[in-house]
Amino acid sequence: MAAHFGRRLYKGAATTAVAALAVAALSASQAPGVTADGPDRQSAADATPSPETAEGSGATGNSPYYTDLPPLNSPNPSPSASTGTDTSGVSEAGIPATVLDAYKKAEASLREKKPGCNLPWQLLAAIGKVESGQARGGRVSADGTTLSPILGPQLDGNGFALIKDTDNGAYDGNSSYDQAVGPMQFIPSTWEWAGRDGNGDGREDPNNIYDAALAAGHYLCRFDWDLSDQRDLDRAILSYNNSTEYLNTVLSWLEYYRKGTHEIPDGTGTLPADRSDTTVRPTPTYPSTPGTSPEPGRTPGKPSGAAPSPKPPADPESGTPTTPPGTTPPTPTDTVDHLEDAGTAKLTAMAGDTFGERLRARAETDAGKAVAKVRIRFTVVGDTDTTFSGGESVATVVTDSSGVAVAPALQAGEKTGPVAVRATVAGRTVKGVAYKATVTERAADTLVRTGDKALTCVPGGEFADPVELKATYEGAAADKVAATATLVTSADDPAVNDKGPYFKDADGNAVRTLGGLRTDANGLLKLPQLYADDTAGTFLLRVTTAGGATLTVELTVAAAETESPAPPAEPAPSAEPSASAEPSASPTA
């Protein structure tokens, strides 16, 4: 299945010598590592898959892929002395309209969901070109679904990987062995957890370019890789198909598309010719039922339904299969008989928190011996928003020397209740491990007022100062904690008081119990406006939260104090006649 670069066809190469020169020129100009970036840049030829992909089959089951390389000419038209325009690279640069739109929408979604991944849509275009020739030149419907199924050869171990059926033929129509499906060539076992709904129709369809492109983006970003870093980019591509030749081919198309591309009508794209299994892929006519089509890329004369080789006998003491002379030794994955829980403690976390305990699984032979270097897939199942760190519902981890794989920490969502997680061996159908976790409601253990000012009101009025509280849990702010506020009869009687202060509902009616309250991100809870009826006295407001925190606040309704009236003013004394005043003259007769 290795790609043979010397066998690839280059448009315009008239002789073998010219083709060889083209390969050398392309390698020098496009292969990563041979750049002016300096000696620290990693060469694709030296790239090795990360531990989590070394034993696995990638997104495609390492199925065959197209090995055609891009033209040496620029994808953008440029002036030519003879014709005025050089268009030799333009047709290859064209991407069918619907397919191009799917790649760009997937990039936009990942930019929002996982901005640190820095996924370029050109990478999806490069993989789409290598996997399916851009959905066979854009033969898709308006909603992005391929007009006929795109299926890889059945992975029966005859020249390809051996992956027995995992979906009962639901995606590939094959109930014996898996086949890569759709424009991005996902095998069913990978699509089961990696599938996404990219066109919003409520389905996750590997035959739909919008769904497949979005799934490929999430797959490439699942380990928090930064694809702007060459080493992470190499790792991500190798995780898709574990082949250095595949890496080189994808990187060549990535650089080509980065230099320029344009939209072309659906169904008019250029179809690749060469494949990594050294046979030219035919253009078959697919029937309407998936799985009954010819198997593209199969070597003629090779049986399609041949039974797998019998399992080699195992060593009675170690449980490790023995290898007859002249046969290929089994991989570590082949020796696994079952998984065991490796001491996972009780899994409980509050909504929004990280689980303190991590899932642990141990791979063992049938004799109970540990098996290292085996990929264990942990999958969160069921209706829950609990995920692993990074927001994914699946995490794949390689077992260590003791046969143990430790999953990333689980991040509790907002949905409370039981959560189921399953551990399985990637690429094998053996007994796995089922874990049960519990997400509890957010809680507070302490509730206090943020101020100490007395809360008073006149009968028939409204309280001028709001009631504001702060909730904490083990000393930290308790955010998004549910709370209830009730005007109670007395400290010993929690019954609702039908007199005194009250809140108002949406219609302006008096209510004395408020549910559905919730603290903010800082653990603060500001209650709605409080009003008073005509009853004077001292009343109690009790606030309780999930987790048992309770606080009782005193409210006072009293008439406003009036000042005593001032005593009446003393009358001013009458004026006394002055002693020196002359008596009035008597009137004359």
Side-chain angles (χ1 to χ4, degrees):
M1 291 173 57
H4 298 278
F5 280 83
R7 299 178 185 175
R8 296 174 189 171
L9 303 179
Y10 286 80
K11 282 66 178 175
T15 67
T16 303
V18 174
L21 289 173
V23 173
L26 182 63
S27 299
S29 63
Q30 295 180 323
V34 189
T35 68
D37 293 345
D40 293 335
R41 182 159 178 169
Q42 184 183 29
S43 167
D46 298 331
T48 55
S50 57
E52 60 271 8
T53 64
E55 295 293 334
S57 55
T60 71
N62 291 338
S63 294
Y65 54 91
Y66 288 115
T67 61
D68 295 47
L69 288 174
L72 296 176
N73 302 70
S74 169
N76 292 319
S78 57
S80 170
S82 59
T83 64
T85 305
D86 177 6
T87 61
S88 60
V90 176
S91 60
E92 283 285 0
I95 298 178
T98 300
V99 178
L100 180 59
D101 184 57
Y103 296 150
K104 291 184 176 181
K105 278 184 167 59
E107 179 199 54
S109 177
L110 267 296
R111 189 186 306 122
E112 177 184 354
K113 300 291 185 182
K114 295 188 175 182
C117 181
N118 293 306
L119 172 80
W121 66 260
Q122 292 91 341
L123 176 58
L124 297 176
I127 291 176
K129 179 71 173 182
V130 170
E131 293 295 346
S132 69
Q134 310 297 19
R136 289 207 203 96
R139 293 182 64 243
V140 296
S141 62
D143 71 349
T145 303
T146 58
L147 299 181
S148 57
I150 301 176
L151 296 173
Q154 71 174 11
L155 301 173
D156 57 10
N158 291 313
F160 309 107
L162 172 59
I163 303 180
K164 294 183 179 180
D165 175 63
T166 61
D167 66 329
N168 198 28
Y171 294 117
D172 54 15
N174 189 334
S175 58
S176 298
Y177 300 95
D178 274 351
Q179 294 175 248
V181 181
M184 303 304 276
Q185 289 289 277
F186 279 96
I187 54 174
S189 59
T190 301
W191 185 261
E192 179 186 359
W193 59 266
R196 293 293 192 280
D197 177 14
N199 63 351
D201 64 356
R203 299 174 61 233
E204 296 172 355
D205 182 5
N207 297 295
N208 183 280
I209 186 59
Y210 287 99
D211 295 0
L214 184 59
H218 277 277
Y219 186 93
L220 294 165
C221 293
R222 70 196 185 284
F223 289 123
D224 293 328
W225 283 322
D226 178 1
L227 302 187
S228 65
D229 179 273
Q230 185 65 44
R231 290 177 177 82
D232 279 357
L233 176 62
D234 291 350
R235 293 186 185 101
I237 297 171
L238 284 167
S239 78
Y240 208 90
N241 191 315
N242 189 13
S243 161
T244 302
E245 289 82 0
Y246 180 86
L247 171 65
N248 283 326
T249 308
V250 169
L251 287 174
S252 296
W253 282 105
L254 170 61
E255 292 307 313
Y256 183 74
Y257 286 136
R258 276 175 167 166
K259 292 176 183 176
T261 187
H262 57 279
E263 177 184 301
I264 62 175
D266 290 344
T268 64
T270 303
L271 296 177
D274 297 343
R275 290 177 61 83
S276 60
D277 50 2
T278 73
T279 63
V280 177
R281 184 173 188 172
T283 305
T285 302
Y286 287 87
S288 59
T289 304
T292 61
S293 62
E295 296 169 6
R298 295 286 299 180
T299 302
K302 188 170 289 185
S304 61
S309 301
K311 185 177 179 180
D315 183 282
E317 294 185 3
S318 67
T320 302
T322 58
T323 305
T327 61
T328 303
T331 66
T333 301
D334 294 332
T335 68
V336 178
D337 177 76
H338 61 276
L339 294 181
E340 292 286 348
D341 186 343
T344 304
K346 185 177 181 181
L347 295 165
T348 303
M350 195 181 297
D353 287 353
T354 300
F355 282 77
E357 178 65 22
R358 295 168 70 176
L359 302 170
R360 301 166 61 87
R362 185 171 187 260
E364 296 182 354
T365 67
D366 54 3
K369 300 293 184 180
V371 185
K373 298 182 180 180
V374 174
R375 282 169 34 105
I376 306 300
R377 181 174 295 142
F378 296 91
T379 306
V380 181
V381 297
D383 182 19
T384 179
D385 55 355
T386 293
T387 63
F388 291 105
S389 55
E392 296 293 342
S393 60
V394 175
T396 304
V397 184
V398 179
T399 57
D400 59 18
S401 58
S402 63
V404 174
V406 181
L410 277 170
Q411 179 69 36
E414 295 302 321
K415 291 183 179 180
T416 59
V419 175
V421 184
R422 184 175 64 241
T424 57
V425 178
R428 290 289 308 280
T429 304
V430 297
K431 177 179 173 291
V433 180
Y435 304 88
K436 292 182 179 180
T438 303
V439 177
T440 61
E441 190 175 7
R442 292 173 182 263
D445 55 17
T446 304
L447 196 60
V448 297
R449 277 190 66 195
T450 58
D452 56 5
K453 186 176 181 181
L455 300 169
T456 61
C457 179
V458 298
E462 61 184 57
F463 287 81
D465 298 304
V467 179
E468 186 177 71
L469 313 172
K470 180 164 185 176
T472 58
Y473 185 80
E474 296 182 351
D479 63 317
K480 301 180 182 179
V481 176
T484 301
T486 305
L487 279 305
V488 297
T489 301
S490 69
D492 300 324
D493 185 356
V496 178
N497 197 340
D498 59 357
K499 297 184 182 300
Y502 60 90
F503 300 104
K504 288 183 180 180
D505 63 15
D507 297 324
N509 300 316
V511 293
R512 290 182 168 85
T513 296
L514 277 184
L517 304 172
R518 198 167 290 274
T519 61
D520 65 14
N522 299 312
L524 296 176
L525 176 64
K526 187 175 181 179
L527 298 183
Q529 177 68 52
L530 272 166
Y531 303 87
D533 61 13
D534 294 332
T535 307
T538 300
F539 302 89
L540 299 179
L541 169 65
R542 181 164 295 166
V543 182
T544 60
T545 68
T550 302
L551 180 68
T552 301
V553 180
E554 188 174 280
L555 306 173
T556 301
V557 179
E561 294 183 2
T562 57
E563 296 182 2
S564 300
E570 294 290 336
S574 58
E576 294 290 337
S578 173
S580 59
E582 293 291 333
S584 315
S586 298
T588 54

